[in-house]
């Protein structure tokens, strides 16, 4: 972590009051934290657009009764070992499973892996959550 | 417009440097303007979620050769006169038209109108752009 | 427009019933139209990602009392004449204006133009709506 | 799972060719699977909008060196035991942690929990990934 600095924002009084009400609702304890979160959110979007090394989570909802789906998911993840860090399997009910796969790598590679997993037969829904390795965010 | 006030943000030095680089690329002349834009963007999302009175633009791409589509679009807009402010028709090529419809009203009503227009036969693509009447944004 | 063809989708009975209810709510008269809309929506995303020639709408909310903002907006649009097709100005109230600018050009160029307009002082909110020239969508 | 049925989509020849190219790139083996995925994606959006019982993943990026952050995260999750199913902690580097929290409950409750976790000091980035319990998706 690097040293802390300060900067001043000039803003219309009413606009600031509306912002204060908004962030209080979302649980923020002060404006600086909310502003830093907004800034980090923008920088993460930029990391993904630029194709940088990123981190993310691939979320899959699937029916483990569908023949072959669990095996194929495991096999693809093992072949993508360089990008897949860990994966958690949650049993939602008798048939439905939720799998969260933590991944790290170049943005385009991660996006391709997510597409491949989402398009598998038996996978009902898939989503790629974009976050960061955090290296440039402090 | 209300009076201007100031507040201070404390932030890690490197994070601020990354933010400065990002907003310079996007054409901002100073941090305050970029921060105010981010704040107003969040407040507009909140106005739409809360179902407030909002403004927006419905963008439609359609083929004016499809029988009836232009007439139906005009008719629906006239019946929604209370919400439709103005509409601009652009000729993209021999068949394709782009129509931008400026609207104002309660968020749910505007969303329904957008759905109705987008689902018409002959309309190839439709999008609702969420913005604000601006009343609470200064 | 090219000739019509048909293809068959196999689907779980309950899933189809849920889809039918959803599209009925959104005003679709038949499944084909809803499916074609979903397909065109995906293709438009792809055109923007690939940096193809696209069409779009830049929506700006601004306060015309802010000195210089209207002139600067007009000047930037004139200098971007190759991309700006038409622009509609709507008076929301005494101070607030909504401007819809129909644009066409390469995706990256359009995105830059939108950034430049959104970051101007006096512009309270800006949004770029992505649509298509429609050439490849029929 | 319910029985399979079939329905026919009529579509312009060129539009279908563009769709086939798109889904081939994304790894789909046939059109039915791609269409079913698009349908399920829309139904999941609707479940969240309606405030139904849903499943999701809260992804957090944080610096475990920040005093108190790990303890607070654990404490909030334990108090939200009714919604938190499991959580996986990944060590990205010396300071940065990625945590994937699988959750289930009413959409509004899950959204509030995500806001609370994201707004904590020390949490650099947070995202809520919307998926489904899968009950209505087959």
């Amino acid at each position: 972590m690097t040293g802390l600095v300060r900067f001043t924002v000039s803003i219309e009084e009413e606009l600031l009051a509306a912002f204060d009400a908004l962030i209080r609702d979302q649980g923020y304890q002060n404006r600086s934290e909310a502003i830093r979160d907004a800034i980090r959110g923008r920088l993460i979007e930029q990391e993904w657009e630029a194709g940088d090394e990123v981190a993310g989570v691939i979320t899959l909802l699937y029916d483990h009764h569908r023949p072959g789906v669990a095996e194929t998911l495991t096999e693809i993840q093992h072949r993508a070992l360089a990008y897949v860090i860990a994966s958690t399997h949650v049993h939602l009910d008798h048939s439905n499973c939720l799998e969260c796969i933590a991944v790290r790598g170049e943005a385009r590679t991660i996006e391709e892996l997510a597409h491949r997993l989402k398009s598998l037969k038996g996978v009902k829904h898939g989503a790629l959550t974009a976050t960061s390795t955090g290296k440039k965010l402090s």
Side-chain angles (χ1 to χ4, degrees), chain A:
Chain A
M1 199 187 323
T2 59
L4 280 181
V5 291
R6 284 156 179 280
F7 71 93
T8 301
V9 176
S10 64
I11 188 168
E12 292 85 358
E13 204 173 345
E14 277 187 30
L15 187 58
L16 183 58
F19 180 60
D20 283 346
L22 175 71
I23 65 177
R24 203 185 313 118
D25 277 0
Q26 298 184 343
Y28 285 103
Q29 282 171 11
N30 62 62
R31 289 171 194 148
S32 284
E33 184 60 23
I35 298 285
R36 286 191 303 258
D37 265 13
I39 289 175
R40 285 185 293 240
R42 294 272 205 101
L43 292 172
I44 290 175
E45 287 174 23
Q46 199 195 26
E47 287 180 0
W48 281 79
E49 281 168 22
D52 290 354
E53 201 212 5
V54 295
V57 177
I58 301 172
T59 299
L60 303 173
L61 175 73
Y62 66 94
D63 180 344
H64 72 93
H65 285 132
R66 291 291 286 264
V69 64
E71 293 78 1
T72 312
L73 283 177
T74 305
E75 205 181 301
I76 292 179
Q77 290 182 51
H78 275 271
R79 268 187 277 140
L81 211 62
Y83 318 115
V84 173
I85 312 174
S87 115
T88 309
H89 181 113
V90 166
H91 312 280
L92 290 174
D93 63 24
H94 186 62
S95 320
N96 290 292
C97 307
L98 182 65
E99 192 148 329
C100 318
I101 309 169
V103 288
R104 174 171 33 191
E106 290 185 5
R108 294 300 89 79
T109 310
I110 298 301
E111 285 167 350
E112 271 170 46
L113 178 61
H115 273 312
R116 201 143 30 106
L117 292 166
K118 284 162 65 174
S119 63
L120 288 176
K121 223 173 162 164
V123 173
K124 293 179 177 181
H125 185 239
L128 171 58
T129 307
T131 185
S132 165
T133 62
K135 281 181 194 161
K136 296 180 189 158
L137 296 183
S138 60

